[in-house]
Amino acid sequence: MSKVTTEVSEAGVLLAADVDLALPLGGAISDYCETSEQASAFHALDELYQDGYIESVPEGKWICPYDRLVHVDLAIANALHLPRPDPKVRAELHSTGIPTNRDFKLRLEMTHPEFGRLDPQRQRGPVYLLPGSNCVLLSAALWHLKGVVDDVPVDGSGSPERYEYMGRCVEAAQKVGAWLDPYLSETQVELIKNLALDVDEVGDAIHLGFA
């Protein structure tokens, strides 16, 4: 009975079939299947390949890199038993210093009620590798938050850029219900997203104003 198996690796989730398989399959899926469950798995594998989520690796396997895994459709992930976002993961946003200081930094930590603090040294994209062959996959929202926090101001940026960075991170953290340390939770930073410039000509003079 043909089947598709998955295995967690350092670079992504490895997928393999126990039959000699060449992707894309075209109309040959029925040749490998005896049940509807098998057909769903092979259809899902074929769709992942054609949509560019997986690529071929040696030993007749395919790999789904972790930064693509978070975007895989739920139905396809279920058909192939791929890791799915763990709703128990919680985010914590910690600060060091204040934005008026050059050493101001933000640190994002992920925690899990069963596994505790997830080790950033074991993070591969949106996935945290656990002992054995287990892993924890972040939701798309938490993965987005990670990207916002990692987008730090360039060296030499001033206080306005650091305050704007803090505001972006706090806004993204609040959207996912992240825990904020006392400084971040008590300091309000208002982001100005739409600023219009009014130009008014009066005689030979030009008056500029912001709306």
Side-chain angles (χ1 to χ4, degrees), residues 89-95 106-112 116-118 142 145-146 149 169 173 176-181 184:
V89 178
R90 293 292 179 266
E92 297 180 1
L93 190 60
H94 301 261
S95 60
L106 294 178
R107 184 181 78 259
L108 184 65
E109 292 187 359
M110 300 294 179
T111 64
H112 191 283
R117 177 179 173 271
L118 300 178
L142 287 177
L145 171 61
K146 180 71 166 56
V149 176
C169 293
V176 299
W179 178 89
L180 303 175
D181 73 15
L184 296 176

Side-chain angles (χ1 to χ4, degrees), residues 91-147:
E92 297 180 1
L93 190 60
H94 301 261
S95 60
T96 300
I98 59 177
T100 54
N101 298 335
R102 291 186 177 182
D103 62 352
F104 172 73
K105 293 181 180 179
L106 294 178
R107 184 181 78 259
L108 184 65
E109 292 187 359
M110 300 294 179
T111 64
H112 191 283
E114 182 180 350
F115 307 117
R117 177 179 173 271
L118 300 178
D119 185 359
Q121 298 300 317
R122 299 292 292 161
Q123 182 182 1
R124 305 293 185 271
V127 165
Y128 288 84
L129 302 179
L130 301 175
S133 59
N134 296 320
C135 67
V136 169
L137 175 63
L138 300 181
S139 67
L142 287 177
W143 180 231
H144 171 74
L145 171 61
K146 180 71 166 56

Side-chain angles (χ1 to χ4, degrees), residues 53 66-74 84 137 140 143:
Y53 285 102
Y66 289 126
D67 58 352
R68 303 177 196 173
L69 179 62
V70 70
H71 302 294
V72 172
D73 179 79
L74 179 60
R84 297 309 304 146
L137 175 63
W143 180 231

Side-chain angles (χ1 to χ4, degrees), residues 49-63:
Y49 183 82
Q50 296 201 53
D51 289 344
Y53 285 102
I54 61 175
E55 53 196 55
S56 300
V57 292
E59 299 180 5
K61 297 181 179 180
W62 303 269
I63 190 168

Side-chain angles (χ1 to χ4, degrees), residues 21 125 170:
L21 205 62
V170 169

